[in-house]
Amino acid sequence: MGAQQVRDGFAELYGTAPEGVWAAPGRVNLIGEHTDYNDGFVMPFALPHVTLAAVARRDDGVLRLHSADVPGGPVELRVADLAPGTDDGWTAYPAGVVWALREAGHPVPGADVHLTSTVPSGAGLSSSAALEVVVALALNDLYALGLKGWQLARLCQRAENVYVGAPTGIMDQTASACCEEGHALFLDTRDLSQRQVPFDLAREGLRLLVVDTRVKHAHSDGEYGKRRADCEKGAALLGVDALRDVPHDGLDAALAQLGDEEEIRRLVRHVVTEDARVERVISLLSSSAGARAIGPVLTEGHASLRDDFRISCPELDLVVDTALAAGALGARMTGGGFGGSAIVLAEEGAVAALTEAVEAAFAEGGFTAPRVFEAVPSAGARRLL
């Protein structure tokens, strides 16, 4: 659905024109998984798939939320009554943003919001962050709050952590708010410093495929939170502020220090080696080796997520194994895990055969047919109309 259609949908719904239409994208994380809440490094890029929001201000304390993708009419809330734990539906994400803005002292007396999205839900592509960021950006513009992209991202993360109750890191919201077309975003999640890294696969005759396994995941479930808590326990046992502070060349000593804490040892090993993989990818992309050389690093990342972090699933492993056997340069799961999507780096001419091989493997395994599409580094959140 285009911006004009969302604008028209708002007018039909609320009886007046919106003051603008905004877009915020989903994201693919190229490398750097479960490092963000460990103060580490990540490298996402924005997808062309976006959440669109047509929005208008209100001054009467009422927040009306509607999604073209959810059955039913607008949900009406009072901004003064917004509080964590009061909503467990989709409206918790935009309502949480309003709550977070107001908690931070920014005057948002109300709004009418009409939404739609092309970001696949539950696919590990940050549909929730896109929803949060598009609402935050619209309110920032309409109420002249003067917040930068990284500031909006932090408030959206607070909305998801506290209001929604999902213990996510800062990567998803920052990617949606700050990515640039044709680039991957190197983000240091400790100090939020950013570097836009050129990532033009087409110029090198390459493609990056996203394979949505259609296995739904949920960040707010117990397994994600347990991984995060155990990473924090690992940092405490090692006497560091976060696992980011464990040097790669000191990993063996750190693992020995953890003794028989085998589960925590695995988590620590993943986070420390994953941070190193992010740095390797940046080095390769910045060298004459180019994007072809990052394939094995992506595959190493999947093995670490599968064996050490233990958040893969049979469908994700099937994508990776099948793609590699069919000639992919590299492949790995992306996102929070327990389902969602995998990415496959491939030569342009191999895309059709790889797609066919993955689809055939899913059919033979009795799995739901996957959704396969190309991931093109795209622009971050912006105003359209």
Side-chain angles (χ1 to χ4, degrees), residues 100-131:
L101 286 167
R102 289 169 57 86
E103 283 285 298
H106 303 293
V108 180
D112 284 337
V113 181
H114 175 55
L115 298 147
T116 190
S117 182
T118 59
V119 184
S121 177
L125 303 175
S126 297
S127 58
S128 60
L131 174 55

Side-chain angles (χ1 to χ4, degrees), residues 211-278:
V211 182
D212 176 6
T213 66
R214 301 188 186 270
V215 177
K216 300 295 184 182
H217 75 156
H219 272 167
S220 56
D221 67 11
E223 289 299 319
Y224 185 98
K226 185 177 187 301
R227 298 300 188 283
R228 180 166 185 165
D230 282 348
C231 285
E232 293 169 354
K233 181 180 177 181
L237 290 172
L238 293 170
V240 295
D241 291 336
L243 293 184
R244 181 258 183 76
D245 297 312
V246 179
H248 188 256
D249 60 7
L251 177 58
D252 288 344
L255 296 178
Q257 186 178 338
L258 290 170
D260 61 358
E261 293 276 3
E262 183 56 34
E263 186 170 354
I264 291 178
R265 282 165 54 91
R266 289 196 305 269
L267 300 184
V268 171
R269 182 165 51 229
H270 167 73
V271 173
V272 175
T273 58
E274 187 80 346
D275 274 335
R277 280 186 284 273
V278 176

Side-chain angles (χ1 to χ4, degrees), residues 1-22 52-59 62-69 73-75 90 110-116 135 138-139 142-143 383 385:
M1 185 180 290
Q4 188 61 48
Q5 289 172 286
V6 177
R7 181 188 181 101
D8 293 344
F10 181 102
E12 182 178 349
L13 189 69
Y14 295 119
T16 186
E19 294 181 78
V21 176
W22 290 259
L52 298 174
V55 185
R57 289 170 289 182
R58 295 181 67 101
D59 60 6
V62 172
L63 174 65
R64 291 195 293 183
L65 302 169
H66 181 264
S67 171
D69 309 315
V75 176
W90 72 268
D112 284 337
V113 181
H114 175 55
L115 298 147
T116 190
V135 172
L139 296 175
L142 290 176
Y143 286 105
R383 187 170 186 162
L385 294 175

Side-chain angles (χ1 to χ4, degrees), residues 30-32 43 184 197-199 274-287 290-291 293-298 332:
L30 183 63
I31 194 73
M43 201 170 182
V197 180
F199 192 53
E274 187 80 346
D275 274 335
R277 280 186 284 273
V278 176
E279 294 182 300
R280 285 167 60 196
V281 166
I282 291 172
S283 178
L284 289 168
L285 290 177
S286 303
S287 74
I294 73 172
V297 187
L298 302 183
R332 75 171 190 91

